[in-house]
Amino acid sequence: MCTGRSDIPLSKGNRNNTTTSSGKQAEEASPLTDKFGRFHSYLRISLTERCNLRCKYCMPEEGVPLTAKDSLLTTDEVLRLAGLFVREGVRKIRLTGGEPTVRKDLTDIVAALKRIPSLESVGITTNGLMLTRQLVGLQRAGLDGLNISLDTLKAAKYERITRRKGWERVIAGIDLAIQLGYKPKVNCVLMKGFNDDELCDFVEMTRDRCVDIRFIEYMPFTGNRWDTSEMVPFREALATIRERYPDFTALANGPNDTAKAFHVPGFRGQLGFISSMTEHFCGGCNRLRITADGNLKVCLFGNTEVSLRDALRSGCSEDDLRCLISAAVKRKKKQHAAQPSLISSTIRSYPLLGVRAFSSLSHVDERTGKATMVDVDDKVSTRREAKAQATVYVGPTISSLIESNELKKGDVLSISQMAGIVAAKKTSDLVPLCHNIPLSSIKVETSLNAATHEVHILTKVKCDGKTGVEMEALTAASIAALTVYDMCKSVSHEILIKNIMLVEKTGGKSDYYKLAKKHKKQEHHSDSDPPIVVKRYNTHPIAGHEEFVPVHH
């Protein structure tokens, strides 16, 4: 069989192969090693959500809503994250999308990645439409390998599945890659009734072309329902090929290979089967993914994501980022769920596209997986009220200074009260999925209990609207408590914020009360709020064994 640029020679630093005992210890201590001992040396980075095809199994004909440009990773952010992952042991990076070739600076990104010390391989996954124009430049930039998505060898079928023309350009791109010395991997999603009759045609493609055809099991999710009617299992496809090619032979696989490799003796290319549905390969998984909007995904089938973009833009140090990545990797499960139970939390994602489809979650768009506000159009406007509280233990010294109003920063109780009022108005800016609600009343009460050395905070927020105001009340209490801390920290950092909680909410489909019944009765006769009597806490600033939830009397 032929060899090409995708067959990267193994260097001493390749962590997927034999390592010294010190190298093994380094892997085990790495942030990229999960609790099952899997070391992740392969990173896929999505450069864009855009695509110039509309494949039926990926997205609707009209496309999907795209994330705002300023919410996507910038080139500098991509390279900064790539450098961090390589320093921790990543040796292979693959650039994906959407369609990465629609990004104008793709060649520059490849060249910049190739300058990162210890990074051994940079590849792309593409639909192949732009290769005849871009591949020479990408090769000069140092591109090591490429995966090309092609689900059919018939032009009419191609147009039907992708809803676009261009089959001839893809074939030309594959042939150009071979001429330039690559051994391209051609990814084919097998679908019953669509291209399962072309299995042997793809095998024939390997007769004279130095390609690696990879058949991918169709991920059969229809909405939230498991539907195997279109899936062609690996074993069934293998049996079909062997009917025509009895000497279809298995090849050796590496420990982290996702495809089971085969070839027909005498043919230049080879074939593989990615059996992610019927025979998972979780035990040898060494892959991590970063989405175009900067979320780290530790498993293709998981819906848990960590925003590295937000961490970068908030000024996190490299050590902080490393800890964040490590925490995410350590939460990776041993394997993805079994078929039926997988549906509720899975993403529908194929090698070409980074488009994700999620099950029905109240704050997640079903088609795109993007965070979204709850639609309240059908709700009835009612009078909504919410109360929240917080407690700040400040200790005897600060308590005395607050009582005598001698703190250098000013009147703690008044300023924290004002901060709580301002925070309530800003809740929708601080908590992304909260509605911007016109508030009719905000009250923040702050008081000092000199005996227990605590500042007690009570907030009450009202509106006439379709959604509740408990988040506004809680935000007001939280920010008021933080303001107390900020104004007092020059005296001592032994300040404990505790007991932030919702006390009451009314006016929605379900009311909530934390006060005793006698207090509820009093409210019918008075506009004033009854005092909240909380359990007395241990006055030591680091209270190790007391209950977090207060007791109301």
Side-chain angles (χ1 to χ4, degrees), residues 522-539:
Q522 291 173 358
E523 289 183 337
H524 293 295
H525 306 288
S526 172
D527 290 334
S528 63
D529 294 314
I532 299 174
V533 183
V534 300
K535 169 191 170 185
R536 289 192 60 177
Y537 286 86
N538 179 353
T539 56

Side-chain angles (χ1 to χ4, degrees), residues 412 415-420 478-488 497:
V412 172
I415 294 175
S416 60
Q417 182 182 31
M418 182 60 65
S478 302
I479 297 301
L482 286 171
T483 302
V484 172
Y485 183 97
D486 180 61
M487 296 192 70
C488 300
I497 298 175

Side-chain angles (χ1 to χ4, degrees), residues 123-145:
I124 63 169
T125 295
T126 174
N127 59 31
L129 285 175
M130 311 272 285
L131 282 180
T132 52
R133 284 190 280 171
Q134 296 186 8
L135 188 52
V136 171
L138 288 168
Q139 185 181 55
R140 288 173 179 165
L143 185 72
D144 295 296

Side-chain angles (χ1 to χ4, degrees), residues 199-210:
L199 275 166
C200 293
D201 295 335
F202 276 102
V203 176
E204 279 298 313
M205 189 178 183
T206 68
R207 182 185 293 273
D208 300 314
R209 284 184 172 94
C210 186

Side-chain angles (χ1 to χ4, degrees), residues 135-339:
L135 188 52
V136 171
L138 288 168
Q139 185 181 55
R140 288 173 179 165
L143 185 72
D144 295 296
L146 67 162
N147 290 24
I148 304 169
S149 296
L150 181 64
D151 296 327
T152 177
L153 295 177
K154 299 179 180 178
K157 277 189 181 181
Y158 178 88
E159 188 171 341
R160 190 160 79 246
I161 193 70
T162 65
R163 302 188 179 100
R164 297 290 189 272
K165 296 182 182 295
W167 179 86
E168 293 84 359
R169 288 160 59 191
V170 179
I171 294 297
I174 292 171
D175 288 338
L176 175 62
I178 296 170
Q179 292 169 19
L180 292 175
Y182 292 98
K183 181 183 178 182
K185 294 177 180 178
V186 177
N187 295 332
C188 173
V189 178
L190 279 179
M191 291 163 278
K192 191 169 292 186
F194 174 73
N195 61 358
D196 55 335
D197 61 337
E198 297 184 62
L199 275 166
C200 293
D201 295 335
F202 276 102
V203 176
E204 279 298 313
M205 189 178 183
T206 68
R207 182 185 293 273
D208 300 314
R209 284 184 172 94
C210 186
V211 294
D212 182 358
I213 306 292
R214 307 198 309 171
F215 298 117
I216 302 168
E217 288 182 333
Y218 178 69
M219 299 182 185
F221 308 117
T222 305
N224 290 330
R225 180 169 56 87
W226 182 261
D227 180 6
T228 59
S229 61
E230 293 186 67
M231 187 179 76
V232 181
F234 150 59
R235 296 290 175 184
E236 180 180 318
L238 181 61
T240 299
I241 293 174
R242 278 185 166 154
E243 286 182 7
R244 180 167 171 182
Y245 303 95
D247 55 352
F248 194 53
T249 305
L251 300 172
N253 295 305
N256 301 118
D257 288 347
T258 57
K260 299 175 178 65
F262 291 79
H263 82 127
V264 177
F267 283 21
R268 296 192 65 201
Q270 67 181 63
L271 300 101
F273 298 88
I274 299 179
S275 57
S276 50
M277 292 294 100
T278 60
E279 298 181 17
H280 69 75
F281 34 82
C282 301
C285 181
N286 69 333
R287 291 157 174 76
L288 300 172
R289 294 169 176 81
I290 299 177
T291 63
D293 55 356
N295 286 316
L296 173 64
K297 292 187 69 65
V298 298
C299 177
L300 176 64
F301 291 90
N303 62 0
T304 301
E305 300 182 355
V306 174
S307 179
L308 301 181
R309 177 204 64 199
D310 291 349
L312 279 174
R313 295 181 184 180
S314 66
C316 277
S317 66
E318 185 165 306
D319 284 341
D320 291 335
L321 284 168
R322 192 178 291 108
C323 290
L324 186 65
I325 292 165
S326 178
V329 172
K330 295 296 187 290
R331 289 195 297 269
K332 184 171 182 175
K333 296 181 179 179
K334 186 175 183 180
Q335 65 184 58
H336 63 66
Q339 294 173 354

Side-chain angles (χ1 to χ4, degrees), residues 392-405 407 411-413 416 445-457 484 488:
V392 186
Y393 172 77
V394 294
T397 302
I398 294 175
S399 176
S400 176
L401 291 171
I402 293 174
E403 188 173 28
S404 59
N405 196 15
L407 275 164
D411 185 347
V412 172
L413 300 182
S416 60
E445 297 176 8
T446 56
S447 61
L448 174 69
N449 187 327
T452 62
H453 314 306
E454 294 172 334
V455 174
H456 293 290
I457 300 164
V484 172
C488 300

Side-chain angles (χ1 to χ4, degrees), residues 32-50:
L32 304 186
T33 299
D34 66 18
K35 61 183 179 181
F36 302 103
R38 293 172 297 197
F39 179 75
H40 297 79
S41 59
Y42 181 3
L43 178 66
R44 296 184 182 182
I45 304 176
S46 174
L47 296 181
T48 179
E49 294 176 344
R50 294 186 297 131

